[in-house]
């Protein structure tokens, strides 16, 4: 009744923002992401009849704030009649800071829980369960370039390109390490209810997805860069026009965008994307990684830089 799984965060190139079914956490739009390799969350689940409640530690410290969501996710995987569980989570990157820590956490949790219950489940079923806890977690069950699409009353997922078929690199500029001021779920609700741009965002998403699919199939970096940056800026425009405005960027975020623009002007193969947080992800061709890292490290306000290739989906770790 114990298992450990590891999952990587994913970075959306064509973003998910907004829900069509809040109770089931179903997204309003499809999305395309890349699963990272070198950032990870490791989750151990041990069902234990000797305790009287679920227990969670994150990087060695008790965490009661996240526990209700993880407990609900365990219920969906193992059933509400399950034993209580000891959950131990470790993460090698900042949590709740716009780096998709919830995606990797819930992806790893669903895989570990199913394995601990010795309950075989296909990847799509686990992805759907993870997605009910965190919308982007479903994509972390798959590796490389991943598309999430709406399918009737649920979601579908498919890998568009294996990680080694187009081995792009991601240079992450950390501009803040604390939790973001407003969680994504609440911010999406505010945007849906108050942003004058929200309906346009939803209606244009299929166009953006189609261009990104074409770029990925052709391995066309410039085409992917253009649509990913535009989609990112549209999503943040929806947030900024909400009431109250949802502004996750800080001064260093803006400086990083200027750095990426300068690199592009020099012919360096790199583009930016930013999720609901202040961190800037510079997606680049392998030969551009060193220049992107050096330039972002030198950008005022950048606290750290993390680098990753593209990796596989969530998986169980062998015992021992």
């Amino acid at each position: 009744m114990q298992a450990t799984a590891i999952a990587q965060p994913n970075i959306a190139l064509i973003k998910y923002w907004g829900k069509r079914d809040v109770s089931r956490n179903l997204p309003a739009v499809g999305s395309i992401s890349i699963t990272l390799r070198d950032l990870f969350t490791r989750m151990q689940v041990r069902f234990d009849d000797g305790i009287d409640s679920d227990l969670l530690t994150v990087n060695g410290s008790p965490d009661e704030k996240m526990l209700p969501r993880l407990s609900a996710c365990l219920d969906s995987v193992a059933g509400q009649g399950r034993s209580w569980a000891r959950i131990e989570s470790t993460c090698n990157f900042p949590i709740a800071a716009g780096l998709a820590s919830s995606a990797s956490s819930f992806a790893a949790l669903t895989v570990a829980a199913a394995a601990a219950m010795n309950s075989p489940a296909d990847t799509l079923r686990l992805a759907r369960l993870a997605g009910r806890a965190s919308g982007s977690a479903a994509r972390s069950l798959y590796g490389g370039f991943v598309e999430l699409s709406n399918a009737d009353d649920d979601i579908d997922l498919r890998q568009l390109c294996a990680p080694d078929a187009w081995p792009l690199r991601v240079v992450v500029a950390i501009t803040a390490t604390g939790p973001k001021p407003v969680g994504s779920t609440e911010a999406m609700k505010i945007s849906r209810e108050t942003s004058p741009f929200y309906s346009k965002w939803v209606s244009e998403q299929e166009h953006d997805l189609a261009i990104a699919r074409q770029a990925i199939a052709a391995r066309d970096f410039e085409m992917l860069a253009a649509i990913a940056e535009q989609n990112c800026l549209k999503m943040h425009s929806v947030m900024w026009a909400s009431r109250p405005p949802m502004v996750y960027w800080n001064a260093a975020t803006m400086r990083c965008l200027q750095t990426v623009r300068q690199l592009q002007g020099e012919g360096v193969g790199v583009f930016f994307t930013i999720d609901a947080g202040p961190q800037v992800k510079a997606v680049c061709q392998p030969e551009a990684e060193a220049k992107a890292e050096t330039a972002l490290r030198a950008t005022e306000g950048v606290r750290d830089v993390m680098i990753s290739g593209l990796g596989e989906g969530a998986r169980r770790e062998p015992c021992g």
Side-chain angles (χ1 to χ4, degrees):
M1 302 291 285
Q2 173 179 319
T4 302
I6 188 169
Q8 274 68 26
N10 65 80
I11 303 301
L13 304 181
I14 305 300
K15 305 292 189 184
Y16 144 59
W17 191 253
K19 302 179 190 298
R20 61 188 171 98
D21 185 331
V22 175
S23 64
R24 298 185 62 202
N25 209 34
L26 296 177
V29 296
S31 55
I32 292 176
S33 64
I34 47 177
T35 302
L36 303 184
R37 184 187 66 204
D38 301 292
L39 310 185
F40 67 83
T41 298
R42 179 176 285 108
M43 193 78 70
Q44 182 187 81
V45 174
R46 177 157 62 94
F47 292 104
D48 187 348
D49 290 329
I51 56 177
D52 58 6
S53 66
D54 289 333
L55 301 174
L56 169 66
T57 60
V58 177
N59 293 333
S61 300
D63 188 336
E64 295 185 359
K65 183 177 180 181
M66 279 295 295
L67 184 56
R69 288 181 67 192
L70 269 67
S71 294
C73 185
L74 284 180
D75 289 345
S76 71
V77 177
Q80 294 189 346
R82 65 177 174 83
S83 301
W84 298 112
R86 298 180 186 271
I87 310 165
E88 296 181 13
S89 175
T90 56
C91 188
N92 74 339
F93 60 97
I95 296 172
L99 285 171
S101 59
S102 64
S104 56
S105 295
F106 285 103
L109 182 70
T110 55
V111 172
M117 292 292 294
N118 196 25
S119 174
D122 61 39
T123 302
L124 178 58
R125 178 177 178 273
L126 291 179
R128 286 172 169 172
L129 292 175
R132 292 178 189 176
S134 169
S136 58
R139 299 188 305 243
S140 281
L141 269 290
Y142 297 78
F145 293 77
V146 180
E147 179 170 7
L148 183 153
S149 57
N150 283 315
D152 297 325
D153 65 344
D154 218 316
I155 56 173
D156 274 336
L157 294 107
R158 62 174 177 141
Q159 184 185 71
L160 298 177
C161 179
D164 57 353
W166 196 12
L168 298 181
R169 305 287 293 174
V170 182
V171 180
V172 182
I174 306 296
T175 67
T177 56
K180 52 194 178 186
V182 181
S184 295
T185 298
E186 177 62 19
M188 287 182 195
K189 178 177 182 292
I190 292 170
S191 290
R192 186 182 69 251
E193 293 176 350
T194 68
S195 178
F197 302 149
Y198 182 77
S199 61
K200 190 71 170 176
W201 158 257
V202 173
S203 67
E204 290 188 352
Q205 189 75 343
E206 283 302 324
H207 170 268
D208 292 2
L209 289 165
I211 294 178
R213 282 188 219 107
Q214 181 182 350
I216 293 165
R219 310 294 191 266
D220 188 326
F221 187 83
E222 291 185 2
M223 181 187 294
L224 184 62
I227 194 61
E229 288 189 350
Q230 183 189 39
N231 188 265
C232 168
L233 294 175
K234 284 197 297 184
M235 184 186 76
H236 284 277
S237 294
V238 171
M239 298 182 199
W240 297 337
S242 302
R243 291 293 178 265
M246 299 291 110
V247 180
Y248 290 105
W249 297 9
N250 55 35
T253 305
M254 290 295 298
R255 294 190 190 102
C256 287
L257 298 193
Q258 293 173 337
T259 295
V260 172
R261 284 286 184 257
Q262 289 171 358
L263 289 169
Q264 291 171 336
E266 298 167 5
V268 178
V270 61
F271 67 86
F272 67 80
T273 190
I274 308 166
D275 293 312
Q279 327 301 0
V280 176
K281 294 88 174 181
V283 182
C284 56
Q285 296 173 328
E287 61 271 20
E289 177 190 319
K291 286 186 176 180
E293 178 189 3
T294 298
L296 287 169
R297 283 193 185 278
T299 300
E300 182 182 353
V302 171
R303 301 187 178 196
D304 195 9
V305 169
M306 307 181 81
I307 300 174
S308 179
L310 306 191
E312 301 296 333
R315 62 237 175 249
R316 181 181 184 178
E317 287 201 318
C319 297

